[in-house]
Amino acid sequence: QKNNNTIPLNKAIILKDLYYQYPNSLKTTIKDINLNIPACSTVGIVGITGSGKTTIVDIILGLLLAQKGTLKVDENIIDRNNLAAWRKSIGYVPQDIFIADDTLAANIAFGVDKKDINQERVKLVAKIANIDEFVINKLPQQYQTTVGERGVRLSGGERQRIGIARALYRNPQVLILDEATSALDNFTEQSVMKEIHKIGRN
């Protein structure tokens, strides 16, 4: 069940003739970008620093609007009118994860009222993100343990896994990982990505 007022993705995300130049910059960041990302597929965007990877991701995320060209989701052109609905369809995992001074469950269901947190879903996405074992074995009150600034100190890898679980909690149409496994060891990264590929087939 998807959130109300989201834009469904059934066919593809299409970037057509995209052009973007940052204000006060002499250099065009991206120019004539055409990209077709089919639904239920996995795509990696790679390139040297400054090549425009982040700009492309920010346009897909709706954080930037292209100055020329279009971002289309199936038949919907994404513009100011439907930007909020499109953002609700996306799960985003940045490289640095913000951890609130709250319970681990509240950090995974970030932004959801405590009384509305689906604890079963929290555990399900924690298992996919490979952090459930850490919670059960290492945290004194498990999912109700307070983490964050004044709580338990978390490693970079644990923070990243919380970020992945957080993005999956809302059952997004699109999952964007921005170097989101850089703090994980190879075995954990393989395990997490295997689970993500599994759910990605749907």
Side-chain angles (χ1 to χ4, degrees):
Q1 188 66 26
K2 302 296 170 197
N3 294 341
N4 292 334
N5 304 321
T6 60
I7 291 181
L9 168 65
N10 296 310
K11 297 177 192 166
I13 297 170
I14 299 159
L15 282 62
K16 188 163 176 18
D17 303 330
L18 281 194
Y19 172 101
Y20 190 86
Q21 183 171 345
Y22 286 97
N24 308 321
S25 169
L26 300 173
K27 189 171 149 280
T28 304
T29 307
I30 58 168
K31 189 177 179 182
D32 297 330
I33 294 290
N34 290 281
L35 186 59
N36 187 314
I37 304 171
C40 301
S41 68
T42 304
V43 172
I45 298 175
V46 295
I48 58 167
T49 303
S51 60
K53 301 186 299 293
T54 301
T55 306
I56 290 170
V57 168
D58 285 350
I59 288 171
I60 294 171
L61 283 167
L63 298 175
L64 295 176
L65 284 169
Q67 286 139 342
K68 290 181 196 165
T70 54
L71 164 65
K72 258 174 90 174
V73 177
D74 293 352
E75 306 311 317
N76 299 292
I77 291 178
I78 305 301
D79 56 24
R80 289 182 201 281
N81 299 318
N82 57 10
L83 206 50
W86 171 235
R87 283 184 188 144
K88 281 187 192 169
S89 303
I90 300 172
Y92 174 55
V93 189
Q95 210 168 346
D96 295 314
I97 308 296
F98 169 75
I99 301 291
D101 194 11
D102 208 334
T103 66
L104 192 115
N107 266 287
I108 289 176
F110 194 66
V112 175
D113 278 348
K114 278 225 168 90
K115 62 180 182 350
D116 297 328
I117 293 174
N118 180 333
Q119 299 294 340
E120 289 201 357
R121 178 136 191 91
V122 165
K123 285 179 184 169
L124 171 71
V125 295
K127 280 180 180 163
I128 293 168
N130 216 291
I131 196 158
D132 179 66
E133 207 173 292
F134 163 77
V135 175
I136 300 301
N137 296 327
K138 300 281 171 73
L139 298 186
Q141 291 165 284
Q142 299 187 347
Y143 285 94
Q144 301 316 311
T145 306
T146 298
V147 293
E149 280 183 66
R150 292 185 295 280
V152 174
R153 292 187 69 87
L154 299 167
S155 72
E158 284 146 13
R159 293 169 80 97
Q160 281 193 332
R161 284 179 279 167
I162 290 169
I164 292 165
R166 180 186 290 168
L168 294 172
Y169 179 83
R170 293 173 184 272
N171 195 19
Q173 297 266 303
V174 179
L175 184 64
I176 296 180
L177 305 164
D178 185 1
E179 295 191 35
T181 57
S182 59
L184 304 184
D185 61 81
N186 287 345
F187 180 76
T188 307
E189 181 180 34
Q190 281 174 19
S191 173
V192 169
M193 291 312 297
K194 189 176 164 191
E195 291 301 319
I196 287 173
H197 281 300
K198 232 186 263 178
I199 58 171
R201 291 188 200 121
N202 302 315

